[in-house]
């Protein structure tokens, strides 16, 4: 296959020795381009892949002079193997771990179980960062504890225990805190490791955690750095990911020709790219006639939230479909179990709901507190169907290979594609602002960058037909209407051929 002009430009910059940031839009063949670079040199290279599946795929396509590994695999080979006896230890309740660390009583009506959860989450957050020590900003914010002074008191209490937990994790033989793979990655990163290579490729760079970013950028003095990704698909900021592409000190190039879908879908994708203020716009493939319209039998239904996903699962099962769920049903199961505990008068250890003593308290929070607005669909779902019905539905899920339809959140759909896709109705428009239009109706707030990026990911998962469904509100939103008017004006201003 002959390289496109954009791919050829990337190859030229690579062979010139430039540090390179390659913005690759949805379906533009980024792995193919990286393989093109790798096959054009005999220098020794390394590729830092986002996950094991990507690493396996790249390894099959790259030459022998390029090794493809995840950052975790490199860390395990360097230091992680020393901690093998602690990996895969039996799970234990967080309160038991907290008790072993010395957390034995509540503070300010925050129970020991909640404090223990917060300590372990602070350690996890620290492991995602490039920070050298655990400090207050690693302590999680808890639902129902929005007061800044109370949070400051909580953080001051949590930090010493989190540091004690991190010290416990340094022991390769034994300890009270359950050891996992992010722990040895952080331990390795703190040694300022040197990766022996002439060039280093970073895949899915927009989703790199700061700890991986630090490892990658620290190789600059001895290796050529090449990062590839799509800043508009940076949708994991909530778990510590950071888009390092736009500010990278190097040659900035793009891949904008998508081979996944046609021009009509590229236009839809570009609407959201514009709203996300992304540095790229896509061109569709004329040979791929992707359509936009209703989809009666989708191959995949993409949702905004886990709650939206279980709603779709239950509706599709009622319709007689065999349903698969991307990533499995564990997250939905734990939510439903948490709801059951609260409805039966027990507290739950679910990190999102630990501060609520009863189901009634959660109902009130979701209905009346602005911070709980996103929980209202979950509350409605449980109140309508019951926790046991949700658990039963999760138990009826089938493997995706045997499913009539796959349900997925947009986050879990990233990197995947299906022939026919429908967008679920839990992609809600922004809430109304205090401003009004000429007729006195409230105007919705602007569409945020994060929501526009997530919508872009969702609409670009299809090859054949997209039912925009729950994102159709964009046509009536002021931001979307302004874009449509601007596009219409640009079309009217185009020079026209005049016959005769």
């Amino acid at each position: 296959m002959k390289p496109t002009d954009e791919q050829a430009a990337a190859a030229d910059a690579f062979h010139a020795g430039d540090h390179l940031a390659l913005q690759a839009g949805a379906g533009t063949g980024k792995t193919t381009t990286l393989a093109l670079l790798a096959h054009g040199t005999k220098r020794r290279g390394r590729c830092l892949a986002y996950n094991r599946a990507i690493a396996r795929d790249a390894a099959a396509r790259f030459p022998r002079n390029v090794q493809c590994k995840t950052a975790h695999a490199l860390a395990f080979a360097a230091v992680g193997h020393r901690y093998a006896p602690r990996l895969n230890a039996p799970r234990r309740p967080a309160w038991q771990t907290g008790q072993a660390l010395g957390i034995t009583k509540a503070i300010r009506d925050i129970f020991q179980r909640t404090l223990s959860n917060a300590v372990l989450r602070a350690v996890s957050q620290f492991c995602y960062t490039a920070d050298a020590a655990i400090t207050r900003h690693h302590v999680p914010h808890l639902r129902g504890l929005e007061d800044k002074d109370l949070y400051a008191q909580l953080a001051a209490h949590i930090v010493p225990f989190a540091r004690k937990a991190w010290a416990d994790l340094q022991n390769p033989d034994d300890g009270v805190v359950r050891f996992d793979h992010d722990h040895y990655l952080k331990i390795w990163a703190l040694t300022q490791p040197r990766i022996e290579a002439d060039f280093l490729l970073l895949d899915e760079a927009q989703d790199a955690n700061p700890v991986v970013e630090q490892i990658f950028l620290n190789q600059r003095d001895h290796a050529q750095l090449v990062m590839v990704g799509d800043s508009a698909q940076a949708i994991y900021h909530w778990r510590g990911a950071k888009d390092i592409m736009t500010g990278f000190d190097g040659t900035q190039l793009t891949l904008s020709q998508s081979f996944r879908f046609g021009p009509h879908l590229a236009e839809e994708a570009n609407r959201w790219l514009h709203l996300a203020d992304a540095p790229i716009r896509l061109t569709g493939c004329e040979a791929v006639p992707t359509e936009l319209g209703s989809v009666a039998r989708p191959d995949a239904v993409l949702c905004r939230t886990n709650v939206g996903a279980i709603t779709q699962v239950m509706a599709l099962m009622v319709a007689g479909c065999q349903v698969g769920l991307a990533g499995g049903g564990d997250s939905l199961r734990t939510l439903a179990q948490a709801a059951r505990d609260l409805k039966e008068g027990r507290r739950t250890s679910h990190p999102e709901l630990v501060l609520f003593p009863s189901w009634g308290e959660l109902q009130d929070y979701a209905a009346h507190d602005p911070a709980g607005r996103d929980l209202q669909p979950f509350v409605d779902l449980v109140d309508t169907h019951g926790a046991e019905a949700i658990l039963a539905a999760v138990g009826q899920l089938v493997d995706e290979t045997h499913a009539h339809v796959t349900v997925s959140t947009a986050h879990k759909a990233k990197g995947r594609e299906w022939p026919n896709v429908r967008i679920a109705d839990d992609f809600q428009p922004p809430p109304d602002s205090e401003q009004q239009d000429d007729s006195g109706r409230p105007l919705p707030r602007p569409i945020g960058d994060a929501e526009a990026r997530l919508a872009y990911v969702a609409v670009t998962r299809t090859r054949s037909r997209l039912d925009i469904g729950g994102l159709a509100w964009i046509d009536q939103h002021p931001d979307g209407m302004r874009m449509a008017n601007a596009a219409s004006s640009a079309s009217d201003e185009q020079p026209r051929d005049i016959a005769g």
Side-chain angles (χ1 to χ4, degrees):
M1 181 176 173
K2 182 181 178 180
T4 66
D5 291 343
E6 291 175 325
Q7 290 172 328
D12 290 342
F14 174 72
H15 296 308
D18 295 359
H19 295 299
L20 180 61
L22 190 58
Q23 290 280 357
T28 57
K30 64 182 179 63
T31 305
T32 299
T33 304
L34 288 180
L36 173 69
L37 305 186
H39 280 284
T41 182
K42 293 184 179 180
R43 294 182 296 153
R44 181 180 49 172
R46 291 267 196 170
C47 177
L48 286 182
Y50 185 67
N51 56 39
R52 283 185 292 178
I54 293 174
R56 285 194 299 268
D57 178 59
R61 301 170 69 174
F62 283 19
R64 292 183 178 179
N65 58 303
V66 179
Q67 291 187 353
C68 302
K69 300 283 186 180
T70 64
H72 284 87
L74 294 179
F76 185 82
V79 301
H81 63 279
R82 303 174 196 162
Y83 297 85
R86 292 189 63 174
L87 283 169
N88 302 316
R91 293 185 181 274
R92 63 190 304 190
W95 68 267
Q96 289 185 3
T97 301
Q99 193 172 60
L101 291 170
I103 305 173
T104 57
K105 60 182 180 180
I107 63 161
R108 296 297 298 264
D109 296 327
I110 301 176
F111 291 94
Q112 184 263 358
R113 178 175 303 201
T114 302
L115 295 172
S116 300
N117 272 309
V119 165
L120 297 181
R121 290 171 66 191
V123 173
S124 294
Q125 182 60 34
F126 165 67
C127 289
Y128 294 148
T129 71
D131 301 333
I134 295 175
T135 60
R136 168 178 162 173
H137 76 271
H138 300 118
V139 177
H141 290 266
L142 303 179
R143 282 190 183 273
L145 189 68
E146 279 74 34
D147 183 270
K148 291 183 179 179
D149 290 337
L150 289 178
Y151 171 77
Q153 293 177 36
L154 172 69
H157 185 76
I158 290 295
V159 166
F161 289 108
R163 290 175 177 169
K164 187 175 181 180
W166 181 243
D168 174 272
L169 290 165
Q170 309 307 302
N171 186 340
D173 300 316
D174 193 20
V176 301
V177 182
R178 191 171 190 266
F179 195 94
D180 68 29
H181 299 278
D182 285 336
H183 295 144
Y184 66 71
L185 176 63
K186 181 63 177 179
I187 291 170
W188 182 55
L190 289 172
T191 69
Q192 301 292 312
R194 175 187 172 99
I195 300 175
E196 297 297 338
D198 299 315
F199 64 91
L200 190 63
L201 310 176
L202 178 64
D203 189 27
E204 299 288 353
Q206 79 285 344
D207 286 332
N209 286 332
V211 65
V212 174
E213 173 195 6
Q214 179 190 49
I215 294 167
F216 177 75
L217 295 180
N218 282 352
Q219 314 307 312
R220 189 182 185 103
D221 289 342
H222 70 274
Q224 180 186 10
L225 302 184
V226 178
M227 59 175 65
V228 61
D230 184 354
S231 291
Q233 294 191 51
I235 59 175
Y236 288 110
H237 291 285
W238 52 276
R239 72 179 191 192
K242 178 184 176 184
D243 174 24
I244 65 174
M245 298 193 66
T246 50
F248 180 64
D249 182 14
T251 300
Q252 300 272 346
L253 295 174
T254 61
L255 297 178
S256 62
Q257 172 64 64
S258 181
F259 302 100
R260 180 181 299 160
F261 45 74
H264 293 307
L265 190 58
E267 290 179 12
E268 180 62 35
N270 287 337
R271 289 210 292 179
W272 298 102
L273 288 170
H274 174 81
L275 291 169
D277 196 24
I280 194 172
R281 299 292 183 271
L282 296 179
T283 300
C285 181
E286 295 287 350
V288 183
T290 313
E291 300 174 339
L292 277 73
S294 62
V295 175
R297 295 186 178 183
D299 300 290
V301 177
L302 305 187
C303 307
R304 172 67 179 81
T305 63
N306 282 323
V307 175
I310 189 59
T311 302
Q312 290 293 324
V313 165
M314 296 180 73
L316 289 163
M317 285 181 175
V318 168
C321 294
Q322 287 189 311
V323 184
L325 184 68
D330 287 347
S331 60
L332 300 183
R333 184 179 295 107
T334 56
L335 263 176
Q337 289 170 338
R340 182 178 61 187
D341 288 343
L342 290 174
K343 288 179 76 69
E344 293 178 355
R346 299 189 300 271
R347 280 189 174 267
T348 175
S349 60
H350 194 286
E352 281 286 284
L353 307 176
V354 289
L355 287 184
F356 298 98
S358 68
W359 183 251
E361 291 277 354
L362 180 59
Q363 287 174 314
D364 185 68
Y365 175 80
H368 303 297
D369 192 315
R373 177 173 175 262
D374 62 314
L375 286 175
Q376 189 62 58
F378 171 63
V379 171
D380 291 342
L381 185 72
V382 174
D383 285 342
T384 301
H385 298 283
E388 292 299 338
I390 297 172
L391 289 168
V394 172
Q396 294 175 41
L397 291 167
V398 301
D399 186 89
E400 285 189 61
T401 57
H402 301 112
H404 298 147
V405 58
T406 294
V407 173
S408 176
T409 62
H411 286 92
K412 288 189 174 69
K414 191 168 172 293
R416 302 187 61 182
E417 59 184 67
W418 294 270
N420 302 297
V421 173
R422 184 167 69 211
I423 307 296
D425 58 7
D426 63 334
F427 283 85
Q428 295 294 314
D432 290 338
S433 68
E434 296 180 357
Q435 296 180 319
Q436 297 178 340
D437 62 15
D438 294 338
S439 62
R441 292 176 301 182
L443 289 171
R445 293 177 183 172
I447 299 170
D449 289 355
E451 290 303 312
R453 288 194 298 268
L454 192 62
Y456 162 67
V457 169
V459 302
T460 54
R461 299 307 96 197
T462 189
R463 296 192 301 269
S464 300
R465 191 173 178 89
L466 172 70
D467 185 341
I468 196 170
L471 288 169
W473 52 261
I474 183 64
D475 293 327
Q476 306 302 320
H477 190 279
D479 290 348
M481 294 170 70
R482 276 193 293 270
M483 290 168 53
N485 292 336
S488 176
S489 298
S491 176
D492 291 342
E493 292 173 4
Q494 291 297 316
R496 304 186 182 192
D497 293 332
I498 301 176

